[in-house]
Amino acid sequence: MPVINSMFKSTIGRLRISSFIEGLSLLALLFIAMPMKYMAGNPEPVRVVGMIHGVLFILFVLITLEASLKYKWSFKRTAIVLISCVIPFATFYIDSKILKPQENLLQQNN
């Protein structure tokens, strides 16, 4: 738990957490809720998971913009992080290639 508590204290940490949860919600929507709607004829999971995913998506975008401004990210870096939230599994890749190294760099400088 101490690792997660420390992640909530930094913008990058909050972005890493939100990217992970947003990525999971996208996968749940695409690979669980959507098949249930179209294969089983049950649209309710799409309504529920879709709403949750929408809220997480907005949260992810807001935290990304906060990190972009705070750490003076380039337009390209900001765009790559934002685009990752609409591609399945991309938020996990972005976390390992951009967000985690950024967090490690910030920790070394403090």
Side-chain angles (χ1 to χ4, degrees):
M1 277 315 241
V3 172
I4 293 194
N5 287 339
S6 68
M7 288 180 80
F8 277 110
K9 293 180 181 177
S10 74
T11 303
I12 291 292
R14 287 189 297 275
L15 181 56
R16 291 187 67 206
I17 292 167
S18 71
S19 72
F20 180 77
I21 296 170
E22 197 281 332
L24 288 178
S25 75
L26 177 61
L27 295 178
L29 181 63
L30 293 177
F31 297 115
I32 297 172
M34 295 294 280
M36 288 180 73
K37 177 179 180 178
Y38 292 107
M39 294 176 166
N42 183 2
E44 189 60 26
V46 170
R47 286 190 199 115
V48 173
V49 177
M51 176 63 78
I52 293 168
H53 171 68
V55 169
L56 292 169
F57 174 85
I58 291 168
L59 182 65
F60 176 81
V61 169
L62 291 174
I63 297 172
T64 299
L65 294 175
E66 177 188 8
S68 175
L69 293 172
K70 183 174 183 176
Y71 302 113
K72 296 176 176 61
W73 285 356
S74 67
F75 176 80
K76 180 180 177 183
R77 175 175 281 207
T78 304
I80 289 170
V81 173
L82 287 172
I83 290 169
S84 75
C85 69
V86 296
I87 302 170
F89 302 102
T91 56
F92 308 115
Y93 178 79
I94 291 301
D95 178 63
S96 68
K97 296 299 179 187
I98 294 177
L99 302 179
K100 187 175 182 180
Q102 173 91 41
E103 186 176 46
N104 291 339
L105 182 65
L106 291 170
Q107 288 174 352
Q108 289 173 357
N109 291 335
N110 289 331

